[in-house]
Amino acid sequence: MAKRSKGAPVSIGNSPQDERPFEEDRDDQEEAARPSIGRALQQARIAAGLTVDDVSSATRVRIAIVHAIEQDDFAPCGGDVYARGHIRTIARAVHLDPEPLLSQFADAHGGRPAPTPAAPLFEAERIRPERRGPNWTAAMVAAIVAVIGFVGFTLVKGGDGDKGAQAQVAEGSTPTASRPASATPKKDEPADPKPDPSDSAIAAAPRDKVTVQVSATDGRSWISAKDHNGRQLFDGLLKKGQSQTFQDNEEINLVLGDAGAIQLYVNGKKIEDEFQPGAVERLTYTKGDPEVG
């Protein structure tokens, strides 16, 4: 009869190598639980109370591209570099930190783009001072020649006596006295025309219509204005110091990309609302005393 040899018990459980797939499955589950880039941007936009049209107006990213990004389709962006720029811009517009999304995009699309070589930029910056040097040198030479000529002219005219010198002083003082007088109206002229058009436009605002003046007083802002039929009156960037006036028979609908930089005049009355910098405001104004709809 064959005898069964005694030895160390044999384990029939899982080996350490068998535990690795479970760890990989756990990582895959955590990755799957994280929302996609487009889903995260869409949820942040909805939480901020913005529509796709609002985001497009505030960021200047076309509506079709915003829709595509929210569906995780980055092909319409035209490349990874443009896709990263759109993700960063849209994330800031919906008050979301863009860095985790950019990192997630880099993991899914082969890492970040290679940095631009610094040599051409350095060469361009180094050439600029070399071009300016001859201009400054020529100006200094011309100034020295002018001074030498003036001194020589003064020495030659000095032999004519004190009367000649007094006459020269009198003649030299006449233009200096007249310069401030001629310069004074030049300083006053640009200051007067600026307030006149806006003040007259507000004062002449008809009572049977709604008139809205938008002025970028503290910075630039993206502005979108529509009439009561939804027709686009203006959609673009209003730079600091610029203004636009809109008029309609019933109402004006506004979207302010950076409301803190804007001052509004509605039907001849200044709007005193304190808009926060960077805030997106959607406003509606009608005829009569300004009322926000």
Side-chain angles (χ1 to χ4, degrees):
M1 295 178 62
K3 293 183 180 181
R4 192 174 189 179
S5 62
K6 296 182 180 181
V10 178
S11 174
I12 60 173
N14 294 331
S15 65
Q17 295 180 350
D18 296 334
E19 297 178 357
R20 294 179 183 176
F22 292 101
E23 296 178 357
E24 295 177 357
D25 292 342
R26 188 182 303 109
D27 295 338
D28 293 340
Q29 291 176 359
E30 293 178 355
E31 184 70 20
R34 182 172 59 177
S36 65
I37 297 174
R39 181 62 176 170
L41 292 175
Q42 185 183 49
Q43 290 176 348
R45 174 180 61 78
I46 295 174
L50 301 175
T51 64
V52 174
D53 191 13
D54 295 337
V55 174
S56 177
S57 299
T59 62
R60 298 300 294 170
V61 178
R62 287 182 298 166
I63 294 176
I65 294 179
V66 176
H67 277 297
I69 290 176
E70 289 189 353
Q71 298 299 321
D72 294 307
D73 180 11
F74 303 100
C77 297
D80 290 351
V81 175
Y82 296 103
R84 288 183 177 89
H86 292 332
I87 292 171
R88 180 180 290 103
T89 302
I90 296 173
R92 290 175 178 171
V94 298
H95 311 295
L96 192 64
D97 184 9
E99 294 306 324
L101 300 180
L102 294 175
S103 178
Q104 186 175 352
F105 182 86
D107 294 339
H109 294 79
R112 300 181 182 274
T116 303
L121 299 178
F122 177 77
E123 292 294 335
E125 293 296 331
R126 188 179 63 183
I127 291 173
R128 290 179 182 175
E130 294 178 0
R131 294 180 179 176
R132 293 177 182 175
N135 294 335
W136 284 108
T137 303
M140 293 177 62
V141 171
I144 293 173
V145 172
V147 171
I148 294 174
F150 177 79
V151 172
F153 178 80
T154 305
L155 293 176
V156 172
K157 290 295 183 178
D160 295 339
D162 296 337
K163 294 182 179 179
Q166 294 176 356
Q168 290 176 4
V169 172
E171 293 174 359
S173 62
T174 301
T176 56
S178 61
R179 284 176 186 173
S182 61
T184 302
K186 291 181 180 179
K187 295 180 180 179
D188 295 337
E189 288 177 6
D192 293 334
K194 290 183 179 179
D196 289 342
S198 59
D199 294 342
S200 61
I202 295 173
R207 297 184 178 180
D208 59 340
K209 296 182 179 181
V210 54
T211 303
V212 178
Q213 184 188 53
V214 183
S215 301
T217 57
D218 297 329
R220 63 180 186 175
S221 176
W222 288 106
I223 305 299
S224 174
K226 297 181 181 180
D227 60 11
H228 71 283
N229 291 322
R231 184 172 61 92
Q232 193 79 51
L233 301 177
F234 181 82
D235 183 12
L237 177 64
L238 204 62
K239 297 181 179 179
K240 184 176 181 179
Q242 294 182 340
S243 63
Q244 288 286 340
T245 302
F246 312 108
Q247 195 173 78
D248 188 64
N249 293 330
E250 296 184 16
E251 66 180 23
I252 296 293
N253 298 293
L254 296 176
V255 178
L256 308 180
D258 183 359
I262 296 301
Q263 178 62 63
L264 297 177
Y265 289 86
V266 180
N267 300 333
K269 182 177 180 180
K270 181 179 180 181
I271 302 301
E272 301 294 344
D273 291 346
E274 295 182 358
F275 299 125
Q276 297 299 323
V280 178
E281 295 288 344
R282 289 176 292 177
L283 309 171
T284 299
Y285 292 103
T286 58
K287 293 181 289 187
D289 190 50
E291 294 181 359
V292 180

